[in-house]
Amino acid sequence: MSKATELHEALGAFDKTTSRWGRITMIIGLFFSLAAPAYLVFFAGLDIEVAGIVTAFAALAAVFGVIWIVEPLTYFPILGASSMYQAFMIGNISNKLLPAAMIAQSTIGVKPGTRKGELASVAAICGAATVHLASLFIFVGLLGTWLVSVIPVDIIQTVQFYILPTVMGAVLVQAIVSQKAPRSAVIALVVSVIVVFIAQVYKPFGLFSTAVAVIATAALAWMLRDRKTLGTPEDVPLEARPEGPVY
């Protein structure tokens, strides 16, 4: 058996294992997420009508329903199938896990959408989650109360005000630098500015602004891509290579 065949079989086993356990862990996570609300509704004696639950769900779906569709479609080409299970179980995808995966791929010189890129995403997300849990345990679990008591209130308020633009700005810079696609970056910037302007003028458009920005950027980036660049073998997904996986 050749090395390429062995590697292909190993990756196939990896896909089957991650798909099986990914589904199981996601179902378990869903169960525990709904367990407490279900207990309060059905066993704690709360007088909550089904119509109220449906109304609340509809209100949330009207605001976030687009994101339920856009996020998986947006993240999958970069993270890959196995990392998607990790990402949606852990959370904080756009501001923590996705940048970690992109930097890992850029550091070792692999492309998103390849098997190398997917494995890099898996390792990067594991590292990001480990650092996150360790920092939470130390700076929140052990030192949280003490830190809040010694840090001046003015500094805490300033940090709370600027933390979101700081994090998102760093993520944006990481994405631009790691992807090395200036044309797509310019297209995304122009589309985002236009979408934000329209949302400010026409408020109801804001509910669909994220979906419009993502879809419009992807479409324009594809239509305006450099057609002279054929790409390297690393750019081609392994399942599309007749000779099998090449590393």
Side-chain angles (χ1 to χ4, degrees):
M1 182 181 295
S2 66
K3 184 178 179 181
T5 303
E6 292 179 355
L7 184 57
H8 183 74
E9 292 181 354
L11 289 173
F14 173 79
D15 289 337
K16 292 180 180 178
T17 303
T18 53
S19 297
R20 180 174 65 252
W21 286 104
R23 293 188 183 100
I24 292 173
T25 53
M26 292 296 284
I27 292 173
I28 294 174
L30 178 64
F31 171 79
F32 282 106
S33 297
L34 298 178
Y39 174 80
L40 293 175
V41 172
F42 296 108
F43 302 104
L46 293 180
D47 187 16
I48 301 178
E49 297 180 355
V50 177
I53 298 176
V54 173
T55 301
F57 175 80
L60 289 174
V63 178
F64 300 104
V66 174
I67 299 178
W68 301 342
I69 300 174
V70 171
E71 281 194 344
L73 295 178
T74 305
Y75 299 150
F76 179 78
I78 298 175
L79 298 180
S82 55
S83 297
M84 289 288 282
Y85 292 113
Q86 293 177 295
F88 281 92
M89 177 64 72
I90 297 171
N92 291 334
I93 303 175
S94 61
N95 59 357
K96 182 180 68 175
L97 303 185
L98 190 66
M102 294 171 63
I103 292 301
Q105 293 169 351
S106 176
T107 300
I108 64 176
V110 298
K111 298 289 186 179
T114 62
R115 296 310 298 265
K116 281 185 177 181
E118 181 179 351
L119 296 176
S121 298
V122 172
I125 289 177
C126 290
T130 301
V131 172
H132 188 122
L133 291 175
S135 61
L136 284 177
F137 176 73
I138 296 173
F139 296 107
V140 177
L142 297 180
L143 305 177
T145 304
W146 176 77
L147 287 174
V148 172
S149 65
V150 299
I151 298 177
V153 177
D154 293 341
I155 294 180
I156 294 178
Q157 292 177 345
T158 302
V159 170
Q160 291 175 339
F161 182 79
Y162 288 106
I163 189 64
L164 181 60
T166 300
V167 172
M168 298 309 295
V171 170
L172 178 61
V173 172
Q174 285 180 332
I176 294 175
V177 173
S178 63
Q179 291 300 297
K180 298 181 176 65
R183 181 178 307 190
S184 298
V186 172
I187 292 172
L189 178 61
V190 173
V191 170
S192 299
V193 171
I194 295 174
V195 168
V196 170
F197 176 77
I198 296 175
Q200 292 295 322
V201 176
Y202 183 63
K203 297 298 182 182
F205 179 77
L207 298 175
F208 309 98
S209 58
T210 301
V212 172
V214 171
I215 295 173
T217 299
L220 289 173
W222 182 80
M223 289 187 295
L224 300 176
R225 69 191 186 280
D226 187 0
R227 301 176 188 274
K228 296 180 181 179
T229 303
L230 298 178
T232 63
E234 178 60 37
D235 299 326
V236 182
L238 293 181
E239 56 269 22
R241 303 179 192 176
E243 71 278 12
V246 179
Y247 273 76

